[in-house]
Amino acid sequence: ATLAMVDRIDDPRIVARLWHAVAFFSVGKQRVDAGESALEAARRMGDPQRVAACLGILAEGYRMTGRLPEAEEAIDRALALYRDLHKTRTKAYAVALDSRALLLHATGRIDEARQLYGEAMALYQSLGDEERAMTPRMYLADLEFRAGNVESALAIATEAIGFFQQRRNVMREANARANVAAYHLALGQFDQARRHARASLVLCRHLQSPQMTAVAMEHLAHVAVAQGDARHAARLSGYIDAWYAREALEREWTEQQCYERLRARLREALSKDDLDRYRAEGAGFSQEDAFEEALAAPIPQSRSA
């Protein structure tokens, strides 16, 4: 409702905060567009701290859409502004450190990412925010997974589920469950993967979180094809790929590995014509259609990996 009148709002402080909020609740190209609008308004109001926050959210949008050099430039400018303002003992600075570490992870600079996650976690803890400190710890689980330490990644992410359940942080619980599902998939533990992916999807349906919804659905598609239901998996895969394309969104490293294994299994299980037909059916789903497909489909008896 407010966006409908944003062009008539004269106060750049309100405009900057509005577009920053829109960016926060968006992904992909929508986050980039909203972040750029927020940054423009923040510069007009002449508030360097607001500029830093907008640069941080914009960097996330650039990273999500694969614009990595622009993401690096934006997040480095944000961090420099926080340092110039002597705001390095703040949660906003810790969030920016998290964003920088995610970018390092995306570009394969693993040791640097690990160090920065540790810095962010220590800063959150020193500020008394144990809940936020668990977020970079979850990201460290993904680094363990990338290094081949799947059991270690699973232990960290499983701990995170209990932590966020206790604090009723539903968004982070959904995220942790999706990660746990990915790690179980890598171990060939399909029943456990299905349980966590399904729980994540149910939470995402309540949260209206489109990106986490897509991740959980993709894990369920992987379970389905591994357990013999390739048609169902292909239809879900078609819907998810169409959603990623519409949002101009790229998968993060862990999700990309799961996606590549899913596509390989689908190609083994189906002819090209059948695969194309089922994926086209899924591409035409509404989000509600996809929810019903993901939650209602029967799952055959587990088979070995």
Side-chain angles (χ1 to χ4, degrees):
T2 311
L3 283 173
M5 63 178 73
V6 67
D7 291 336
R8 302 195 299 274
I9 300 173
D10 293 327
D11 190 337
R13 293 172 300 174
I14 297 173
V15 174
R17 293 179 66 180
L18 171 63
W19 281 116
H20 188 278
V22 172
F24 181 82
F25 286 110
S26 303
V27 296
K29 186 177 183 302
Q30 288 183 339
R31 178 169 286 202
V32 171
D33 291 344
E36 288 176 343
S37 295
L39 180 59
E40 180 185 354
R43 283 173 170 160
R44 281 196 287 119
M45 63 186 281
D47 182 344
Q49 190 165 343
R50 175 61 61 179
V51 168
C54 293
L55 283 167
I57 201 82
L58 183 56
E60 283 287 288
Y62 287 147
R63 179 182 60 80
M64 288 176 170
T65 53
R67 296 164 63 175
L68 301 185
E70 291 167 279
E72 186 167 8
E73 180 183 357
I75 196 61
D76 284 349
R77 285 162 59 200
L79 288 166
L81 276 172
Y82 284 127
R83 287 192 291 268
D84 290 344
L85 295 166
H86 305 291
K87 297 291 185 180
T88 57
R89 296 288 304 162
T90 63
K91 291 178 185 179
Y93 188 71
V95 170
L97 290 177
D98 268 344
S99 294
R100 187 69 172 93
L102 281 165
L103 180 59
L104 291 167
H105 186 178
T107 55
R109 294 152 69 179
I110 303 305
D111 290 340
E112 294 174 76
R114 190 185 304 277
Q115 178 181 343
L116 217 52
Y117 284 139
E119 289 181 25
M121 187 162 53
L123 179 52
Y124 283 131
Q125 289 171 336
S126 72
L127 295 169
D129 196 333
E130 291 294 330
E131 188 163 341
R132 282 182 179 262
M134 183 57 79
T135 299
R137 180 159 170 74
M138 275 207 309
Y139 295 151
L140 283 170
D142 256 1
L143 290 185
E144 291 296 317
F145 180 64
R146 186 166 184 166
N149 304 321
V150 186
E151 294 286 359
S152 176
L154 188 57
I156 295 170
T158 301
E159 174 194 355
I161 290 174
F163 180 93
F164 290 124
Q165 274 185 319
Q166 189 176 45
R167 286 157 179 79
R168 300 180 184 273
N169 188 328
V170 181
M171 176 63 82
R172 288 303 183 191
E173 181 190 344
N175 191 353
R177 285 189 180 277
N179 288 354
V180 164
Y183 307 151
H184 279 304
L185 285 172
L187 294 170
Q189 298 169 346
F190 300 116
D191 290 336
Q192 296 96 316
R194 177 178 182 259
R195 178 166 59 87
H196 285 288
R198 185 182 174 89
S200 179
L201 184 60
V202 169
L203 293 173
C204 290
R205 192 176 198 175
H206 170 69
L207 291 164
Q208 302 180 48
S209 171
Q211 185 177 16
M212 288 305 305
T213 293
V215 171
M217 284 182 178
E218 197 152 79
H219 293 341
L220 287 171
H222 195 156
V223 171
V225 69
Q227 296 187 321
D229 192 347
R231 174 178 175 274
H232 167 68
R235 281 157 60 97
L236 280 178
S237 177
Y239 168 79
I240 296 158
D241 272 358
W243 180 83
Y244 271 100
R246 285 195 302 273
E247 299 297 330
L249 192 67
E250 295 199 358
R251 291 169 175 83
E252 296 186 4
W253 191 90
T254 295
E255 284 69 47
Q256 184 65 29
Q257 308 315 301
C258 294
Y259 172 69
E260 290 173 3
R261 290 196 300 272
L262 167 62
R263 292 300 300 271
R265 283 184 179 272
L266 286 171
R267 287 192 294 267
E268 290 173 2
L270 294 168
S271 69
K272 183 179 184 305
D273 287 346
D274 284 344
L275 178 56
D276 289 346
R277 183 172 73 255
Y278 296 145
R279 280 174 49 79
E281 290 175 6
F285 283 172
S286 67
Q287 187 179 73
E288 192 59 31
D289 292 335
F291 270 124
E292 295 303 325
E293 181 88 1
L295 294 173
I299 302 295
Q301 185 66 33
S302 297
R303 303 191 310 187
S304 65

